[in-house]
Amino acid sequence: MVMQALRPEPRVERSDAAPEQSLVVASLLSLSGGFLDAFTWLALGGVFASSQTGNVVFLGIYAVSGQWQQAARHVLPILAFVAGAAVAVRIRAPPLCLAGEAICLAVVMLLLHRVPEPVAIIGLSFAGALQSASFRQVERRKYLSVTMTGNMLSAVEQFVATSDRDAVHGGKVMLTLCMMFLLGAAAGGWVTTRLHAGSLALPIALSICALWLCCRPSHPCRPS
């Protein structure tokens, strides 16, 4: 009886992060973000689906040189991205936005050769914004799944600023997301040149997988 009373209670592992804030979901979405930017750059004439920094840079370059038609191509994804972000912020439902992204990508994949390229660009940028504006936190840290600069700076800050275990873990998380974005861009470059429109099946599958992870029933905590 005494031994039983002194025996420590089994520890229960709990996670305060919502399913949509898990590293697995963030990794899948970062992989998709890199893929989509590579796809639009190669398949749709040198624009980015989600990396609006790149679009703004090219908009400025073409505008100052008077190439208005080229400049206009970079205006479209910017406006579509703003519209998608506004919708996502308004409804505040990450799983619904993720489902909307998958639908947008599927429509673009099926109609890519039947609609003008600007329409496809609008669809892809709108879809990217639904994802980016809805999923901005991994565990307890802010991140973006459609760009790498902020995540890279966060990783450096976590590794350099302090040496405590939580900071090191945070740096590893951000570095993981950077690597997933890079892997997605590499995969996008390789697959797009071979499958063209059909390559969008991969980011669609990634979105569906992330949606399943967000919506699946949570399992009870198990003692360890």
Side-chain angles (χ1 to χ4, degrees):
M1 294 295 291
V2 175
M3 292 297 294
Q4 290 180 352
L6 295 177
R7 185 178 301 167
E9 293 293 328
R11 182 170 58 89
V12 177
E13 294 183 351
R14 298 182 183 274
S15 175
D16 296 330
E20 61 267 22
Q21 296 172 1
S22 70
L23 178 57
V24 175
V25 169
S27 296
L28 291 174
L29 298 181
S30 296
L31 187 65
S32 176
F35 190 102
L36 287 175
D37 270 340
F39 174 84
T40 51
W41 180 262
L42 293 173
L44 298 175
V47 297
F48 294 107
S50 303
S51 181
Q52 301 312 317
T53 301
N55 287 325
V56 170
V57 169
F58 282 109
L59 172 60
I61 291 173
Y62 288 127
V64 77
S65 62
Q67 301 180 57
W68 302 112
Q69 185 175 359
Q70 290 294 331
R73 289 179 58 81
H74 293 278
V75 172
L76 290 175
I78 294 172
L79 295 179
F81 191 89
V82 170
V87 170
V89 171
R90 180 70 176 176
I91 64 177
R92 296 185 182 277
L96 183 60
C97 288
L98 202 54
E101 179 191 23
I103 292 172
C104 288
L105 295 179
V107 170
V108 171
M109 182 178 69
L110 294 174
L111 301 180
L112 184 60
H113 298 298
R114 304 177 187 177
V115 298
E117 282 189 357
V119 176
I121 293 171
I122 290 172
L124 292 173
S125 294
F126 186 87
L130 290 178
Q131 170 184 309
S132 179
S134 300
F135 295 84
R136 292 183 289 179
Q137 184 169 330
V138 54
E139 297 177 353
R140 296 180 291 102
R141 298 166 178 85
K142 299 294 184 181
Y143 85 107
L144 284 174
S145 62
V146 296
T147 185
M148 205 172 80
T149 305
N151 299 337
M152 186 185 301
L153 288 174
S154 181
V156 172
E157 181 182 21
Q158 295 289 326
F159 282 128
V160 174
T162 179
S163 59
D164 65 82
R165 293 177 60 185
D166 184 65
V168 172
H169 172 71
K172 291 179 179 178
V173 167
M174 291 302 168
L175 183 60
T176 297
L177 298 184
C178 290
M179 296 305 297
M180 294 303 290
F181 188 90
L182 174 61
L183 179 60
W190 189 84
V191 176
T192 300
T193 57
R194 290 159 175 78
L195 300 181
H196 200 59
S199 60
L200 286 175
L202 180 56
I204 291 172
L206 292 172
S207 296
I208 293 174
C209 184
L211 178 61
W212 177 77
L213 290 173
C214 291
C215 296
R216 65 174 178 172
S218 58
H219 297 287
C221 298
R222 292 177 296 182
S224 59

